[in-house]
């Protein structure tokens, strides 16, 4: 591994980040749901009794403000080039209450582990989102990324490790889930405010050695979550308790994505997302519903 890349600051382990506050507006929640094709009334009809509920994977929107924010960049010692070289490899979120328009939320983070891998440095961050008015917890997530070709300038360290995801072979037949057309990465970028040019600009994707632009990992994860809520929770997003997965493969524009799911316990199931050739795009999928 080349030594020309800046090192990850090993002292980032244990650094606390935020909080960053955000208002949950109808525009934000409706736009995110629309980008994912979540058109059920519970997500899209703001005149329904009780109003709309945010699609649970929307939680990545405020979380991104932490893991792409100035505090995180300073802690790990990365500039823009270093951040673009970070692969989001795992997302695991636990949900405590639904997100609704009018709520003001605050998201905080803590960098919990830093370790070497054969391709770079794995950094795991725990993110907590609360309602500002009540201080009630809304969600807790683990965001794990690998900084390619960057190594820490000190020993591996950890104050806490992410929880385990469900592993094992899934034998259930895959069902069609999502078509990655040319527009989808653009729609998801604007709805989520999660921007990396490899998702939207073919020239930048080519410069990065990719054949074409790619769908965001969190979009695949969120689309799976939307489909699983329909399959396992009768379309009720308030029943989703956990949604986790490991981003194992790329989904370039033109890819057809398929979802397979099978029960593990009474309330927990494992799932995976594959492409048309059976290659795994999202692995170790873990979902819990009440």
């Amino acid at each position: 591994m080349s030594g020309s890349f800046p090192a990850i600051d090993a002292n980032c382990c244990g650094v606390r980040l935020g909080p960053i506050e955000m208002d949950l507006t109808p525009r934000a929640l409706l736009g995110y749901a629309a980008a994912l094709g979540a058109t059920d009334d519970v997500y899209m009809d703001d005149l329904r009794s009780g109003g709309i509920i945010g699609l649970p994977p929307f939680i990545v929107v405020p979380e991104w403000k932490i893991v792409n924010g100035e505090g995180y960049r300073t802690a790990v010692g990365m500039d823009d080039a270093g951040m673009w070289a970070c692969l989001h490899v795992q997302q695991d979120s636990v949900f405590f209450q639904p997100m609704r328009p009018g709520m003001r939320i605050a998201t905080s983070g803590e960098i919990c582990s830093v370790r070497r891998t054969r391709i770079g440095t794995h950094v795991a961050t725990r993110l907590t989102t609360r309602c500002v008015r009540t201080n009630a917890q809304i969600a807790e997530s683990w965001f794990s990324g690998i900084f390619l070709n960057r190594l820490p300038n000190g020993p591996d360290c950890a104050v806490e490790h992410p929880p385990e995801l469900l592993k094992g072979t899934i034998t259930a037949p895959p069902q069609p889930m999502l078509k990655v057309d040319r527009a989808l990465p653009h729609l998801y970028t604007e709805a989520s405010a999660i921007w990396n040019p490899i998702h939207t600009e073919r020239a930048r994707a080519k410069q990065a050695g990719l054949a074409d632009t790619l769908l965001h990992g969190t979009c695949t994860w969120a689309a799976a979550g939307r489909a699983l809520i329909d399959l396992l929770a009768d379309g009720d997003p308030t029943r989703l308790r956990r949604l986790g997965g490991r981003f194992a493969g790329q989904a370039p524009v033109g890819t057809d994505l398929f979802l397979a799911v099978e029960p593990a316990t009474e309330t927990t199931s494992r799932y995976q997302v594959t492409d048309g050739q059976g290659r795994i795009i999202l692995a170790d999928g873990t979902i819990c519903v009440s």
Side-chain angles (χ1 to χ4, degrees):
M1 190 175 295
S2 171
S4 62
F5 297 108
I8 295 288
D9 187 349
N11 292 321
C12 71
C13 191
V15 169
R16 296 180 182 271
L17 307 163
I20 292 177
E21 296 189 1
M22 175 184 180
D23 289 312
L24 296 182
T25 65
R27 176 183 177 184
L29 297 177
L30 289 165
Y32 189 85
L36 285 155
T39 57
D40 292 342
D41 286 352
V42 67
Y43 306 120
M44 294 295 290
D45 183 4
D46 56 313
L47 291 177
R48 72 186 283 270
S49 177
I52 62 170
I53 292 174
L55 191 69
F58 180 88
I59 198 65
V60 298
V61 176
E63 290 172 351
W64 182 252
K65 298 177 185 297
I66 293 289
V67 294
N68 192 47
E70 190 60 37
Y72 183 89
R73 290 168 177 244
T74 299
V76 297
M78 287 293 111
D79 57 11
D80 276 350
M83 294 303 294
W84 297 145
C86 181
L87 295 179
H88 187 182
V89 294
Q90 186 165 306
Q91 177 76 26
D92 189 5
S93 298
V94 175
F95 303 96
F96 299 99
Q97 66 169 303
M99 291 171 282
R100 300 178 185 272
M103 294 177 72
R104 184 169 181 83
I105 62 175
T107 303
S108 304
E110 182 181 9
I111 300 174
C112 287
S113 71
V114 178
R115 61 177 174 84
R116 289 167 171 79
T117 75
R118 61 181 179 80
I119 60 173
T121 299
H122 183 284
V123 179
T125 303
R126 185 181 58 235
L127 299 148
T128 301
T129 299
R130 296 182 177 275
C131 174
V132 170
R133 182 178 63 85
T134 66
N135 200 40
Q137 194 166 2
I138 293 171
E140 180 176 280
S141 297
W142 283 87
F143 172 102
S144 298
I146 293 180
F147 288 86
L148 296 175
N149 299 315
R150 274 78 173 171
L151 292 179
N153 59 9
D156 294 357
C157 61
V159 295
E160 191 174 350
H161 293 285
E164 291 293 325
L165 295 169
L166 294 177
K167 296 177 171 60
T169 302
I170 293 180
T171 58
Q175 303 297 323
M177 185 187 83
L178 185 68
K179 170 75 173 181
V180 184
D181 61 25
R182 179 71 58 191
L184 181 55
H186 293 271
L187 295 172
Y188 188 79
T189 290
E190 300 309 318
S192 66
I194 297 175
W195 180 76
N196 183 326
I198 65 169
H199 298 304
T200 52
E201 301 171 28
R202 295 191 72 210
R204 296 292 290 274
K206 292 281 189 181
Q207 290 172 10
L210 302 170
D212 208 330
T213 52
L214 305 174
L215 189 63
H216 310 61
T218 57
C219 188
T220 300
W221 171 79
R226 176 188 60 79
L228 289 163
I229 288 169
D230 289 345
L231 287 170
L232 304 177
D234 299 319
D236 182 357
T238 67
R239 292 177 55 193
L240 181 64
R241 292 293 173 261
R242 182 186 182 190
L243 183 67
R246 178 173 59 83
F247 306 129
Q250 299 174 349
V253 164
T255 302
D256 291 307
L257 296 179
F258 298 82
L259 175 68
V261 57
E262 61 186 25
T265 69
E266 184 176 349
T267 59
T268 303
S269 297
R270 59 169 58 90
Y271 72 94
Q272 69 182 19
V273 177
T274 55
D275 66 13
Q277 285 70 52
R279 292 175 294 220
I280 297 177
I281 307 300
L282 192 154
D284 304 338
T286 303
I287 181 169
C288 300
V289 296
S290 61

